[in-house]
Amino acid sequence: MNHDIPVADLGPAGEIMAHAVDACVHCGFCLPACPTYALLGEEMDSPRGRIFLMKEVLEGELPLADAAPFIDRCLGCQGCVTACPSGVPYGELLTTFRATTEQKRERPALQRAVRAGLLTALPSPKLFRAGAYLGQVAKPFKSVLPRALQAPLDLLPGRVPAKFDMPTFVPAQGKRRARVAFLAGCAQQVLAPNFNAATLRVLARNGVDVVIPEGQGCCGAAALHTGARGQALSMGRTNLAAFPTDVDAVVTNAAGCGSGLKEYPLLFKGEREEEQAISFASRVKDVSVFLAELGLEPMLPLAKPVRVAYHDACHLAHAQKVKAQPRSILKAVPGLDLVEVPEGDLCCGSAGTYNIEQPELAGRLGERKARNVLSTNAAILASGNIGCHTQIETHLRRLGSPMRVMHTLEVLDLAYRGELS
Ligand code: SF4
Ligand code: SF4
């Protein structure tokens, strides 16, 4: 697409955005892959439409306020990136555009407060835990609260799970086959502490020494994807300093965090840590990728077959292009019957803070996903991302389903312990 973006004024960010706009040939192959286009049927709520809107804003042809509602409705799911035959890096365009324009955004006071609250609480397990307890007290009064405060309450579990204190080191069982550093995550530690406990057990069982660096913090993805680049940079610097380099991989078990860490080269573009960020990101692996490459230690056959549906988190399938590995490690469980979810490539509506900032659209996508999941008649839904887990479980319960929703590594952990049924 021809453009007149003032690249020289915008620096490295300008180059990134101009390259993406340039690469789009306006063919429209991305439209059927876009969840908001599927729901709203509007060109401006499609990838192609949003690329045009961002170009117009960058060129000074369109006020930011006119484009903002359409850009805000984008989930950042990158379904369009998978579908695009021209390789348009839409994710880089969106992230950089949001960071470039955030200072000029005008938001209502309540929206500003919710946003600030989220960006403060989400990256801190301590604050998030305190917020989760407070949310439980507020839940019974939900109907009298403003809509902006109802959405986060909807997503809180009925009971905050007991805390799992992360160790700083977990030794390999048996012969050591690898040594990795592990990202502990933030909200996940509060909402689903068993994800980490199960992951550490499975890694140890497979002969992996796991280091959990004490100085690590939030990956910064939520901040980066909502335009808070300064906060994301500071979080990134913390992690670059905390993680050791003498490991076989930096392993994560949350798709969104893995994508966030892999985006450090984009985050640090033009900064003094750019080279360090590129090297760090090259070592980051989702735990499913790491285990598929390592090769799993065998498991005993299940007493009777278990039907498991696998949900592709957008930040694994589209952002990291990881689809085969989670399926291959699940299929390694003898007796596990793996089934696909219809419309599997469509986002569940979670998308970082989207289900809080755009509750109506997120709710429609969540219900659509839950109905597709239910159509599989599986006993368990496995996925590799806490956001998807929370969103889909919430909608399954609303539809009255008791289907278990688990992290892929929880399924493996139960299989190793002979408790998967
Ligand atoms: S598929 Fe790619 S090139 Fe075609 S309109 Fe969409 S983003 Fe542009
Ligand atoms: S990132 Fe997702 S919601 Fe946004 S334009 Fe692409 S497909 Fe649509």
Side-chain angles (χ1 to χ4, degrees):
M1 202 185 290
N2 289 334
H3 68 82
D4 200 10
I5 296 170
V7 175
D9 301 344
L10 292 164
E15 279 168 35
I16 293 164
M17 293 186 286
H19 164 67
V21 170
D22 238 356
C24 178
V25 295
H26 224 67
C27 64
F29 281 124
C30 52
L31 269 61
C34 176
T36 54
Y37 186 73
L39 291 184
L40 304 167
E42 288 287 337
E43 172 72 13
M44 293 308 164
D45 279 303
S46 80
R48 184 175 64 182
R50 292 185 175 117
I51 292 171
F52 184 74
L53 289 174
M54 288 188 260
K55 173 187 103 73
E56 292 286 288
V57 172
L58 292 168
E59 289 175 344
E61 296 293 328
L62 183 74
L64 176 60
D66 290 357
F70 302 100
I71 313 290
D72 286 353
R73 280 199 286 273
C74 173
L75 296 132
C77 67
Q78 302 201 39
C80 50
V81 177
T82 300
C84 174
S86 304
V88 173
Y90 177 89
E92 293 188 6
L93 170 64
L94 179 73
T95 299
T96 311
F97 179 85
R98 282 180 170 162
T100 306
T101 53
E102 182 54 31
Q103 297 301 328
K104 298 170 202 141
R105 283 296 300 269
E106 287 174 12
R107 299 175 191 275
L110 183 60
Q111 207 187 80
R112 264 206 319 277
V114 170
R115 190 181 146 82
L118 278 176
L119 290 179
T120 307
L122 273 179
S124 157
K126 258 193 198 144
L127 283 179
F128 191 76
R129 178 172 292 278
Y133 281 122
L134 202 68
Q136 285 192 311
V137 176
K139 257 190 175 205
F141 311 104
K142 193 185 88 175
S143 57
V144 297
L145 293 173
R147 187 82 176 100
L149 296 177
Q150 289 179 13
L153 293 182
D154 280 342
L155 294 165
L156 280 180
R159 191 179 58 82
V160 180
K163 195 170 168 217
F164 168 64
D165 285 318
M166 286 295 287
T168 53
F169 178 69
V170 178
Q173 286 172 22
K175 186 172 176 294
R176 191 178 96 167
R177 300 164 68 204
R179 179 172 178 271
V180 302
F182 183 68
L183 181 86
C186 306
Q188 173 175 289
Q189 284 195 54
V190 178
L191 294 174
N194 195 47
F195 286 11
N196 282 351
T199 300
L200 294 177
R201 280 194 292 269
V202 172
L203 286 169
R205 182 86 180 223
N206 279 280
V208 182
D209 268 353
V210 188
V211 180
I212 302 108
E214 279 187 276
Q216 66 174 291
C218 171
C219 65
L224 182 62
H225 293 156
T226 51
R229 181 169 179 265
Q231 187 181 2
L233 267 175
S234 144
M235 290 166 169
R237 288 197 171 105
T238 302
N239 286 327
L240 288 182
F243 276 85
T245 51
D246 60 339
V247 286
D248 298 304
V250 172
V251 168
T252 77
N253 62 358
C257 306
S259 289
L261 297 180
K262 281 175 178 277
E263 277 180 307
Y264 279 9
L266 175 70
L267 174 64
F268 283 97
K269 188 149 180 75
E271 302 288 328
R272 66 177 188 283
E273 300 93 341
E274 189 173 343
E275 286 304 313
Q276 195 188 353
I278 292 169
S279 155
F280 175 82
S282 71
R283 291 195 298 279
V284 174
K285 282 184 184 164
D286 185 76
V287 65
S288 64
V289 176
F290 175 78
L291 285 172
E293 286 173 1
L294 185 73
L296 285 174
E297 295 289 344
M299 285 160 259
L300 288 174
L302 302 179
K304 59 178 189 317
V306 176
R307 195 173 173 89
V308 176
Y310 175 72
H311 161 71
D312 278 303
C314 294
H315 280 101
L316 261 187
H318 300 308
Q320 299 185 50
K321 310 290 175 224
V322 171
K323 289 190 87 164
Q325 298 91 333
R327 288 172 170 82
S328 82
I329 60 174
L330 284 168
K331 279 190 202 155
V333 180
L336 187 149
D337 174 20
L338 188 68
V339 291
E340 293 295 324
V341 178
E343 288 191 329
D345 279 335
L346 215 59
C347 179
C348 67
S350 172
T353 55
Y354 191 87
N355 50 7
I356 292 170
E357 295 185 299
Q358 301 281 341
E360 201 267 323
L361 287 180
R364 286 167 69 185
L365 288 170
E367 184 179 332
R368 184 166 172 158
K369 180 64 71 178
R371 289 193 188 280
N372 276 323
V373 167
L374 283 174
S375 76
T376 64
N377 286 321
I380 295 171
L381 177 73
S383 88
N385 194 46
I386 180 64
C388 310
H389 181 107
T390 307
Q391 169 84 341
I392 299 173
E393 193 169 47
T394 300
H395 285 277
L396 284 172
R397 299 297 171 261
R398 272 189 200 154
L399 294 174
S401 166
M403 186 189 286
R404 284 176 289 166
V405 183
M406 290 185 183
H407 192 285
T408 309
L409 269 285
E410 285 185 295
V411 177
L412 288 192
D413 180 46
L414 287 180
Y416 275 116
R417 297 200 282 162
E419 293 171 13
L420 185 63
S421 59

PDB file of all heavy atoms in Angstrom, residues 23-30 48 51 84-86 88, ligand 1:
ATOM      1  N   ALA A  23       3.801  -3.451   2.956  1.00  0.00           N
ATOM      2  CA  ALA A  23       3.671  -4.860   2.556  1.00  0.00           C
ATOM      3  C   ALA A  23       2.228  -5.249   2.241  1.00  0.00           C
ATOM      4  O   ALA A  23       1.990  -6.248   1.558  1.00  0.00           O
ATOM      5  CB  ALA A  23       4.217  -5.748   3.675  1.00  0.00           C
ATOM      6  N   CYS A  24       1.253  -4.494   2.737  1.00  0.00           N
ATOM      7  CA  CYS A  24      -0.154  -4.860   2.513  1.00  0.00           C
ATOM      8  C   CYS A  24      -0.573  -4.517   1.090  1.00  0.00           C
ATOM      9  O   CYS A  24      -0.455  -3.374   0.659  1.00  0.00           O
ATOM     10  CB  CYS A  24      -1.058  -4.136   3.515  1.00  0.00           C
ATOM     11  SG  CYS A  24      -2.802  -4.493   3.245  1.00  0.00           S
ATOM     12  N   VAL A  25      -1.071  -5.553   0.369  1.00  0.00           N
ATOM     13  CA  VAL A  25      -1.495  -5.322  -1.014  1.00  0.00           C
ATOM     14  C   VAL A  25      -3.020  -5.198  -1.107  1.00  0.00           C
ATOM     15  O   VAL A  25      -3.588  -5.247  -2.198  1.00  0.00           O
ATOM     16  CB  VAL A  25      -0.987  -6.433  -1.954  1.00  0.00           C
ATOM     17  CG1 VAL A  25       0.529  -6.421  -2.030  1.00  0.00           C
ATOM     18  CG2 VAL A  25      -1.495  -7.810  -1.519  1.00  0.00           C
ATOM     19  N   HIS A  26      -3.673  -5.100   0.045  1.00  0.00           N
ATOM     20  CA  HIS A  26      -5.109  -4.818   0.078  1.00  0.00           C
ATOM     21  C   HIS A  26      -5.942  -5.957  -0.522  1.00  0.00           C
ATOM     22  O   HIS A  26      -7.031  -5.737  -1.038  1.00  0.00           O
ATOM     23  CB  HIS A  26      -5.367  -3.504  -0.703  1.00  0.00           C
ATOM     24  CG  HIS A  26      -6.320  -2.599   0.019  1.00  0.00           C
ATOM     25  ND1 HIS A  26      -6.003  -1.998   1.204  1.00  0.00           N
ATOM     26  CD2 HIS A  26      -7.595  -2.210  -0.274  1.00  0.00           C
ATOM     27  CE1 HIS A  26      -7.036  -1.281   1.608  1.00  0.00           C
ATOM     28  NE2 HIS A  26      -8.013  -1.406   0.735  1.00  0.00           N
ATOM     29  N   CYS A  27      -5.414  -7.200  -0.462  1.00  0.00           N
ATOM     30  CA  CYS A  27      -6.099  -8.314  -1.139  1.00  0.00           C
ATOM     31  C   CYS A  27      -7.329  -8.808  -0.386  1.00  0.00           C
ATOM     32  O   CYS A  27      -8.241  -9.385  -0.983  1.00  0.00           O
ATOM     33  CB  CYS A  27      -5.125  -9.474  -1.334  1.00  0.00           C
ATOM     34  SG  CYS A  27      -4.544 -10.185   0.237  1.00  0.00           S
ATOM     35  N   GLY A  28      -7.343  -8.657   0.955  1.00  0.00           N
ATOM     36  CA  GLY A  28      -8.518  -9.061   1.736  1.00  0.00           C
ATOM     37  C   GLY A  28      -8.525 -10.517   2.174  1.00  0.00           C
ATOM     38  O   GLY A  28      -9.503 -10.976   2.761  1.00  0.00           O
ATOM     39  N   PHE A  29      -7.428 -11.271   1.926  1.00  0.00           N
ATOM     40  CA  PHE A  29      -7.402 -12.671   2.361  1.00  0.00           C
ATOM     41  C   PHE A  29      -7.497 -12.793   3.885  1.00  0.00           C
ATOM     42  O   PHE A  29      -7.850 -13.839   4.413  1.00  0.00           O
ATOM     43  CB  PHE A  29      -6.120 -13.375   1.876  1.00  0.00           C
ATOM     44  CG  PHE A  29      -6.178 -13.781   0.436  1.00  0.00           C
ATOM     45  CD1 PHE A  29      -5.211 -13.349  -0.462  1.00  0.00           C
ATOM     46  CD2 PHE A  29      -7.200 -14.589  -0.039  1.00  0.00           C
ATOM     47  CE1 PHE A  29      -5.273 -13.711  -1.800  1.00  0.00           C
ATOM     48  CE2 PHE A  29      -7.267 -14.959  -1.377  1.00  0.00           C
ATOM     49  CZ  PHE A  29      -6.296 -14.516  -2.266  1.00  0.00           C
ATOM     50  N   CYS A  30      -7.134 -11.720   4.588  1.00  0.00           N
ATOM     51  CA  CYS A  30      -7.135 -11.765   6.054  1.00  0.00           C
ATOM     52  C   CYS A  30      -8.540 -11.597   6.640  1.00  0.00           C
ATOM     53  O   CYS A  30      -8.763 -11.913   7.815  1.00  0.00           O
ATOM     54  CB  CYS A  30      -6.230 -10.660   6.595  1.00  0.00           C
ATOM     55  SG  CYS A  30      -6.631  -9.031   5.918  1.00  0.00           S
ATOM     56  N   ARG A  48      -7.468  -5.357   7.186  1.00  0.00           N
ATOM     57  CA  ARG A  48      -7.171  -4.454   6.071  1.00  0.00           C
ATOM     58  C   ARG A  48      -7.668  -3.041   6.375  1.00  0.00           C
ATOM     59  O   ARG A  48      -6.965  -2.055   6.139  1.00  0.00           O
ATOM     60  CB  ARG A  48      -7.862  -4.998   4.803  1.00  0.00           C
ATOM     61  CG  ARG A  48      -7.571  -4.214   3.560  1.00  0.00           C
ATOM     62  CD  ARG A  48      -8.183  -4.889   2.352  1.00  0.00           C
ATOM     63  NE  ARG A  48      -9.659  -4.944   2.415  1.00  0.00           N
ATOM     64  CZ  ARG A  48     -10.422  -5.522   1.487  1.00  0.00           C
ATOM     65  NH1 ARG A  48      -9.875  -6.104   0.437  1.00  0.00           N
ATOM     66  NH2 ARG A  48     -11.739  -5.539   1.600  1.00  0.00           N
ATOM     67  N   ILE A  51      -5.379  -1.413   9.004  1.00  0.00           N
ATOM     68  CA  ILE A  51      -4.080  -0.990   8.453  1.00  0.00           C
ATOM     69  C   ILE A  51      -4.267   0.362   7.756  1.00  0.00           C
ATOM     70  O   ILE A  51      -3.460   1.288   7.920  1.00  0.00           O
ATOM     71  CB  ILE A  51      -3.530  -2.051   7.465  1.00  0.00           C
ATOM     72  CG1 ILE A  51      -3.161  -3.324   8.218  1.00  0.00           C
ATOM     73  CG2 ILE A  51      -2.305  -1.513   6.711  1.00  0.00           C
ATOM     74  CD1 ILE A  51      -2.804  -4.507   7.330  1.00  0.00           C
ATOM     75  N   CYS A  84      -2.363 -14.022   6.112  1.00  0.00           N
ATOM     76  CA  CYS A  84      -1.882 -13.073   5.098  1.00  0.00           C
ATOM     77  C   CYS A  84      -0.823 -13.688   4.177  1.00  0.00           C
ATOM     78  O   CYS A  84       0.248 -14.094   4.636  1.00  0.00           O
ATOM     79  CB  CYS A  84      -1.288 -11.849   5.799  1.00  0.00           C
ATOM     80  SG  CYS A  84      -0.525 -10.694   4.649  1.00  0.00           S
ATOM     81  N   PRO A  85      -1.090 -13.742   2.864  1.00  0.00           N
ATOM     82  CA  PRO A  85      -0.097 -14.331   1.956  1.00  0.00           C
ATOM     83  C   PRO A  85       1.101 -13.418   1.709  1.00  0.00           C
ATOM     84  O   PRO A  85       2.131 -13.874   1.217  1.00  0.00           O
ATOM     85  CB  PRO A  85      -0.892 -14.539   0.649  1.00  0.00           C
ATOM     86  CG  PRO A  85      -2.053 -13.618   0.725  1.00  0.00           C
ATOM     87  CD  PRO A  85      -2.322 -13.341   2.170  1.00  0.00           C
ATOM     88  N   SER A  86       0.985 -12.142   2.047  1.00  0.00           N
ATOM     89  CA  SER A  86       2.086 -11.205   1.794  1.00  0.00           C
ATOM     90  C   SER A  86       3.005 -11.024   3.001  1.00  0.00           C
ATOM     91  O   SER A  86       3.940 -10.218   2.948  1.00  0.00           O
ATOM     92  CB  SER A  86       1.519  -9.830   1.403  1.00  0.00           C
ATOM     93  OG  SER A  86       0.679  -9.965   0.298  1.00  0.00           O
ATOM     94  N   VAL A  88       2.415  -9.626   5.950  1.00  0.00           N
ATOM     95  CA  VAL A  88       2.336  -8.321   6.626  1.00  0.00           C
ATOM     96  C   VAL A  88       2.493  -8.533   8.143  1.00  0.00           C
ATOM     97  O   VAL A  88       1.728  -9.288   8.743  1.00  0.00           O
ATOM     98  CB  VAL A  88       0.980  -7.632   6.333  1.00  0.00           C
ATOM     99  CG1 VAL A  88       0.821  -6.367   7.175  1.00  0.00           C
ATOM    100  CG2 VAL A  88       0.855  -7.313   4.857  1.00  0.00           C
TER     101      VAL A  88
HETATM  102  S1  SF4 B   1      -4.147 -10.505   3.686  1.00  0.00           S
HETATM  103 FE1  SF4 B   1      -2.306  -9.317   4.131  1.00  0.00          FE
HETATM  104  S2  SF4 B   1      -1.877  -8.185   2.237  1.00  0.00           S
HETATM  105 FE2  SF4 B   1      -3.999  -8.927   2.087  1.00  0.00          FE
HETATM  106  S3  SF4 B   1      -5.246  -7.213   2.916  1.00  0.00           S
HETATM  107 FE3  SF4 B   1      -4.840  -8.579   4.630  1.00  0.00          FE
HETATM  108  S4  SF4 B   1      -2.981  -7.751   5.574  1.00  0.00           S
HETATM  109 FE4  SF4 B   1      -3.125  -6.813   3.524  1.00  0.00          FE
END
